[in-house]
């Protein structure tokens, strides 16, 4: 397999883009990535998206976007893996370029969520869960995560307030990211007083829905002269049972463990060498579980990393450096590509106030469903 590099990146602000259509939001990020890469054509297009058939009544997003951005006749396909769609599209593009099948690819993660009322969006998001055994029982996506968080607090003795640092850190970092959806500071008091969504998950534990797109152009590394060069050091994916109740241990993200283990091996990297980790903090409980499953904390102790100030820009493992899902926002099928774009920004040294000093290895982890599909990527600055 050939070594692959990321030549260009682009993103839109995560927001309620009511004045823009799905094609306009996605097209903007795609054009920005091609402009940043200095190319006007690529050989293939991979689109990551979850909800377009349900929210925008649009399917066939591969051709929909190849048509819109002028990549006529090129191979174009949509990849769906719920909230993990962005990283799944990136991995598919990576395999196409690494195998030598194509010499360049554009990966676009795009989602338009806010054109429909909240209830419809919640129902659409629930299609990532098990329709027969979870959704049919009336549980929503937030509800499933609330059950997991409650169980975690019961098993390990943490209080709700102990999760506050994840939210505070994400919001503090988003203040410096113009592409983030939320620009407000969260304090412990604000966190504790925030309105409840599904006990114990309150508004400050949950990522907001949003419209947004992020994109990257990838090519064989040998073709990249730009300095610093950002290469893909590892890509790995794993799955777990689709329903949480079918797992022997619902408090361990086994697919995160498996995919990160494989990624560490592939890249020849240990957790301690990772400069920045863009994890999937759809809910604060998921941040804690991801840190545990990927080797940054012992079982039941992920929360402690936040309480001990280790997740900030100068901490042992900086996470959500551009706001994470919590404050940058979580336009579900686009999120995995936002994470890739943000790690590229860190490795290029473009993050200003939230730049991690000497960042040279960055990891992303994108989750589809409640820990059901998990993709881990490691990028390296050369
Ligand atoms: N954190 C902080 N503020 C939030 C927020 C969040 N997660 N979600 C919304 N807000 C703010 C909005 O900015 C808005 O502020 P404003 O009045 O100053 O403009 C206000 O709260 C109301 O926004 P609205 O969009 O009406 O919120 P809502 O009550 O309809 O939805 C949630 C809030 C948390 C229920 C919704 O965002 C949600 O369902 N999130 C989880 C999505 C999910 O499950 N994703 C998949 C996970 S894998």
């Amino acid at each position: 397999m050939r070594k692959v590099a990321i030549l260009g990146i682009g993103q839109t602000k995560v927001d309620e883009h009511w004045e823009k259509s799905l094609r306009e939001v996605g097209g903007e990020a795609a054009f920005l990535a091609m402009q940043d890469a200095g190319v006007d054509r690529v050989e293939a297009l991979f689109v990551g998206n979850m909800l377009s058939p349900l929210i925008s009544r649009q399917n066939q997003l591969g051709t929909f976007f190849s048509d819109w951005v002028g990549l006529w006749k090129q191979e174009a396909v949509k990849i769906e893996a719920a909230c993990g769609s962005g990283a799944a599209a990136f991995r598919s593009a990576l395999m196409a370029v690494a195998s030598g099948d194509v010499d360049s690819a554009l990966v676009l993660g795009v989602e338009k969520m806010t054109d429909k009322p909240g209830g419809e969006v919640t129902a659409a998001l629930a299609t990532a869960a098990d329709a027969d055994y979870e959704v049919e029982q009336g549980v929503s996506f937030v509800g499933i995560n609330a059950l997991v968080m409650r169980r975690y607090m019961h098993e390990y003795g943490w209080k709700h307030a102990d999760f506050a640092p994840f939210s505070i850190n994400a919001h503090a970092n988003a203040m410096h990211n113009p592409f983030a959806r939320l620009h407000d500071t969260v304090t412990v008091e604000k966190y504790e007083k925030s309105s409840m969504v599904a006990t114990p998950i309150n508004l400050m534990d949950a990522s907001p829905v949003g419209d947004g797109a992020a994109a990257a152009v990838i090519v064989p590394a040998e073709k990249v002269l730009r300095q610093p060069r950002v290469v893909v050091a590892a890509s790995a994916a794993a799955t777990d049972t689709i329903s949480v109740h079918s797992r022997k241990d619902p408090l361990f993200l086994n697919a995160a463990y498996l995919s990160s283990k494989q990624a560490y091996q592939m890249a020849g990297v240990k957790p301690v060498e990772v400069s920045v980790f863009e994890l999937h903090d759809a809910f604060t409980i998921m941040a804690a579980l991801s840190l545990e499953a990927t080797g940054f904390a012992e079982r039941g102790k992920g929360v402690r990393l936040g309480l001990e100030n280790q997740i900030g820009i100068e901490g042992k493992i900086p996470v959500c450096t551009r706001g994470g899902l919590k404050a940058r926002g979580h336009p579900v099928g686009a999120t995995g590509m936002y994470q890739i774009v943000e790690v590229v920004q860190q490795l290029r040294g473009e993050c200003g106030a939230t730049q991690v000093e000497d960042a040279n290895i960055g990891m992303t982890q994108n989750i589809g469903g409640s820990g059901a599909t998990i993709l881990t990527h490691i990028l390296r600055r050369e």
Side-chain angles (χ1 to χ4, degrees), residues 23-327:
R23 46 157 66 85
E24 286 169 324
V25 172
E28 193 177 316
F31 284 127
L32 286 169
M34 288 200 283
Q35 193 179 45
D36 186 46
V39 300
D40 54 14
R41 287 200 72 71
V42 290
E43 288 183 24
L45 169 66
F46 293 82
V47 180
N49 171 272
M50 174 185 175
L51 300 172
S52 73
L54 298 167
I55 303 284
S56 311
R57 302 207 185 285
Q58 180 65 60
N59 228 323
Q60 215 187 163
L61 287 203
T63 307
F64 179 74
F65 279 109
S66 67
D67 183 12
W68 181 244
V69 303
L71 296 172
W72 301 293
K73 301 185 189 162
Q74 310 301 94
E75 174 184 359
V77 67
K78 166 181 154 174
I79 310 285
E80 188 278 315
C83 304
S85 300
F90 185 76
R91 184 168 154 76
S92 296
L94 187 69
M95 289 195 274
V97 177
S99 68
D101 195 42
V102 295
D103 267 338
S104 60
L106 172 66
V107 196
L108 170 65
V110 58
E111 203 71 75
K112 195 97 172 58
M113 303 174 78
T114 73
D115 293 344
K116 288 276 187 296
E120 271 187 54
V121 177
T122 300
L125 285 169
T127 60
D130 188 315
D132 291 335
Y133 299 113
E134 290 180 323
V135 186
E136 192 61 24
Q137 312 308 318
V139 71
S140 71
F141 221 81
V142 185
I144 294 170
N145 282 272
L147 291 171
V148 173
M149 185 168 177
R150 186 185 280 266
R151 186 75 207 170
Y152 183 90
M153 289 161 67
H154 172 80
E155 287 292 333
Y156 299 116
W158 297 109
K159 300 186 298 298
H160 179 252
D162 295 329
F163 292 80
F166 291 120
S167 186
I168 292 170
N169 172 62
H171 277 263
N173 291 339
M175 294 291 275
H176 305 284
N177 179 5
F179 300 102
R181 162 123 201 238
L182 300 175
H183 290 121
D184 52 352
T185 303
V186 174
T187 59
V188 173
E189 197 191 2
K190 185 171 173 183
Y191 175 83
E192 286 181 344
K193 287 193 175 152
S194 183
S195 46
M196 197 51 74
V197 181
T199 323
I201 290 180
N202 73 17
L203 201 58
M204 293 305 134
D205 289 300
S207 55
V209 301
D211 308 328
V217 172
I218 62 171
V219 294
E222 80 230 13
K223 296 206 170 157
V224 178
L225 302 174
R226 167 181 203 152
Q227 290 291 331
R229 185 169 75 164
V230 176
V231 300
V232 184
S235 170
T239 56
D240 205 334
T241 61
I242 191 156
S243 56
V244 174
H245 64 262
S246 304
R247 293 178 201 156
K248 218 173 191 168
D249 183 354
L251 298 183
F252 188 67
L253 293 177
N254 200 43
Y257 168 73
L258 293 174
S259 67
S260 60
K261 186 174 160 200
Q262 200 187 336
Y264 289 140
Q265 273 169 2
M266 207 179 285
V269 160
K270 298 191 192 72
V272 69
E273 294 171 278
V274 175
S275 323
V276 47
F277 180 25
E278 290 305 330
L279 51 70
H280 193 97
D281 58 326
F283 303 98
T284 51
I285 178 66
M286 293 309 282
L289 295 181
S290 299
L291 285 166
E292 292 169 22
T294 47
F296 294 102
E298 287 173 38
R299 297 284 305 272
K301 294 190 177 155
V303 168
R304 187 177 285 170
L305 279 173
L307 292 169
E308 290 177 351
N309 250 342
Q310 297 298 346
I311 57 170
I313 299 304
E314 288 171 5
K316 221 188 285 179
I317 182 63
V319 305
C320 306
T321 64
R322 307 298 281 154
L325 281 61
K326 174 67 196 79

Side-chain angles (χ1 to χ4, degrees), residues 304-352:
R304 187 177 285 170
L305 279 173
L307 292 169
E308 290 177 351
N309 250 342
Q310 297 298 346
I311 57 170
I313 299 304
E314 288 171 5
K316 221 188 285 179
I317 182 63
V319 305
C320 306
T321 64
R322 307 298 281 154
L325 281 61
K326 174 67 196 79
R328 176 242 296 122
H330 184 25
V332 287
T335 289
M337 284 309 297
Y338 274 98
Q339 294 175 319
I340 295 281
V341 164
E342 290 163 353
V343 165
V344 171
Q345 288 184 309
Q346 282 288 354
L347 300 182
R348 285 183 184 174
E350 294 173 353
C351 292

